[in-house]
Amino acid sequence: MPLSTRSQHSTLTQFLIEERRKFPDASGDFNALILDIALACKAIARGVAFGELGQVLGDHRAGEAGTVNVQGEQQKTLDVLSNQAFIRRTEWAGNLAGMASEEMDDPYQIPAKYPRGKYLLVFDPLDGSSNIDVNVAVGSIFSVLRGPEDGRDVQESDFLQSGTRQVAAGYAIYGPSTMLVLTLGNGVQGFTLDPNLGEFMLTHRDIRIAPETQEFAINASNSRFWQAPVKRYVDECLAGKPGPRGKDFNMRWIASMVAEAHRILMRGGVFMYPRDTKDPSKAGRLRLLYEANPIGMIMEQAGGRASTGEMPVLDVVPSALHQRIGLVFGSREEVERIERYHREPTHTEEHNPLFAERSLFRY
Ligand code: AHG
Ligand code: MN
Ligand code: MN
């Protein structure tokens, strides 16, 4: 085991200070906020790592009953603890005007005993939490927006900003190693947690997504609910070398979007959770403000693309805090192809041999 102090990598703190020096007027509030978020992520990483020993697996219970969040989803104990970690580590410092989270119905007000700051923090404290009990990688996702600066209580409308207005976005992934992947609007940097030092070290500078790919990720159990452009794209991938794409594709589905996003940043690929007809009351599976927008900003900053299928996801003007949306992201050329399929007239099933009587999508 090499001495950690021999490492040539910068720490997250060093990286942030060097970035701030480029903006002599910056107050330092922003850096302090990112470091507090990083500390929350380290705390969550430790909680996740203890697994069954930490007695934190399973559903969250209040008395006998399980608790359900505003999405109608059963909360895991770690969803609730991770939410608390984000709040407790960031609320005190005077950098935030308010917060919003997947696990809180309404915006969170900074308690009166603390000063209020100029930023809003929006987060998914534990993404992929259905994977927590089976020891598969999970993560946290966050987005930083500008908030009201007059110290008043925040309201839902303060958070309804398009993704292009994000000041910063990032995620932590709790996998074999813990990593923090961050964009401040100037490229994407990856930091690996050094377990000896408890510090995030800059290990992946200026991450760029390969423009082309041969790997896609989608929950194929929803295929009968997909819209025609998505069916067409996946069918063409499955048709492989003899098909219209002329090459074989590989498929992955982890069910932790953070883990899928991370794989795509590392080796390319495309992720799809499109709007489908499974539940017409839902405009998609993923949430715009704390899943699609931060991951979308990271993808775009890494040279990839993020889209609803119809338009860049970062251009969508949100209408509700917990709004859902269809999401496609990853290698630029693949996302553009899926967008093109959405624009082109629908290929009717009769005309497409892949939907013929004995094809891949006939059941
Ligand atoms: P969360 O755990 O925060 O509710 O998010 C889970 C999301 C996302 O991470 C993943 O891609 C997707 O839900 C998985 O959906 P399926 O259950 O349809 O596989
Ligand atoms: Mn999530
Ligand atoms: Mn979550």
Side-chain angles (χ1 to χ4, degrees):
M1 174 72 60
L3 257 187
S4 296
T5 45
R6 270 192 346 209
S7 167
Q8 295 303 303
H9 300 295
S10 312
T11 63
L12 173 62
T13 310
Q14 187 179 348
F15 169 78
L16 290 171
I17 289 172
E18 284 168 3
E19 282 298 299
R20 193 184 66 199
R21 285 185 188 142
K22 297 176 189 165
F23 303 94
D25 296 337
S27 65
D29 289 10
F30 178 74
N31 282 5
L33 171 61
I34 298 293
L35 290 173
D36 285 341
I37 294 169
L39 185 57
C41 294
K42 285 190 236 180
I44 298 167
R46 294 307 294 155
V48 167
F50 272 92
E52 186 63 35
L53 294 172
Q55 297 181 313
V56 290
L57 301 187
D59 292 345
H60 183 248
R61 305 213 159 266
E64 279 303 290
T67 57
V68 170
N69 67 12
V70 66
Q71 334 274 333
E73 296 164 346
Q74 169 66 50
Q75 289 178 306
K76 298 281 184 186
T77 302
L78 269 168
D79 283 324
V80 175
L81 294 177
S82 303
N83 195 57
Q84 285 167 359
F86 263 85
I87 292 172
R88 298 292 165 248
R89 290 294 165 201
T90 59
E91 67 178 348
W92 61 276
N95 304 316
L96 289 177
M99 301 185 218
S101 154
E102 177 184 336
E103 304 302 340
M104 297 188 285
D105 300 8
D106 301 312
Y108 180 83
Q109 306 297 344
I110 302 300
K113 61 182 172 182
Y114 300 127
R116 288 183 178 176
K118 59 184 176 215
Y119 296 109
L120 298 173
L121 177 62
V122 192
F123 54 96
D124 174 355
L126 200 64
D127 175 65
S129 55
S130 72
N131 278 325
I132 195 69
D133 296 343
V134 293
N135 204 3
V136 167
V138 291
S140 304
I141 312 173
F142 60 90
S143 164
V144 180
L145 299 164
R146 290 191 194 283
E149 290 193 31
D150 53 6
R152 65 167 168 79
D153 278 5
V154 288
Q155 52 200 40
E156 181 176 21
S157 57
D158 294 320
F159 293 85
L160 304 183
Q161 305 181 32
S162 68
T164 51
R165 293 170 65 186
Q166 294 173 101
V167 177
Y171 65 78
I173 176 167
Y174 314 119
S177 58
T178 292
M179 286 189 69
L180 183 76
V181 173
L182 181 66
T183 180
L184 311 179
N186 183 22
V188 178
Q189 317 299 330
F191 302 83
T192 304
L193 184 63
D194 180 329
N196 288 340
L197 298 177
E199 287 280 350
F200 281 110
M201 313 300 287
L202 179 54
T203 47
H204 297 65
R205 239 179 228 283
D206 288 321
I207 298 170
R208 305 297 294 171
I209 301 176
E212 282 181 76
T213 182
Q214 291 178 223
E215 201 160 68
F216 69 97
I218 192 164
N219 183 346
S221 71
N222 293 325
S223 60
R224 70 185 186 280
F225 305 110
W226 294 340
Q227 292 171 338
V230 175
K231 279 187 174 136
R232 175 184 173 192
Y233 177 80
V234 173
D235 249 358
E236 289 181 2
C237 293
L238 294 175
K241 214 168 172 43
R245 301 298 306 272
K247 58 183 182 180
D248 290 334
F249 279 75
N250 200 6
M251 199 191 83
R252 289 285 184 275
W253 188 250
I254 305 173
S256 288
M257 185 182 57
V258 157
E260 320 267 10
H262 194 68
R263 183 189 63 248
I264 288 169
L265 284 181
M266 294 298 111
R267 69 176 191 210
V270 65
F271 170 97
M272 291 164 278
Y273 216 127
R275 184 172 193 163
D276 62 32
T277 58
K278 189 173 186 178
D279 178 349
S281 72
K282 290 184 180 156
R285 167 80 168 86
L286 299 167
R287 279 59 54 113
L288 175 58
L289 286 174
Y290 41 82
E291 292 179 317
N293 275 344
I295 295 295
M297 182 178 183
I298 289 168
M299 291 295 144
E300 301 266 346
Q301 285 289 322
R305 191 166 171 86
S307 172
T308 64
E310 268 104 23
M311 65 184 285
V313 75
L314 299 184
D315 288 344
V316 174
V317 178
S319 56
L321 201 54
H322 299 285
Q323 178 178 353
R324 293 176 190 263
I325 196 135
L327 181 62
V328 175
F329 65 75
S331 298
R332 175 163 287 276
E333 288 179 18
E334 295 301 309
V335 177
E336 284 171 351
R337 175 183 287 268
I338 295 163
E339 289 175 314
R340 177 158 59 78
Y341 288 3
H342 279 84
R343 286 194 304 270
E344 286 176 3
T346 304
H347 283 224
T348 59
E349 298 193 358
E350 299 79 67
H351 292 133
N352 186 342
L354 292 164
F355 289 99
E357 208 48 53
R358 290 170 54 200
S359 75
L360 290 162
F361 284 97
R362 285 287 180 198
Y363 299 100

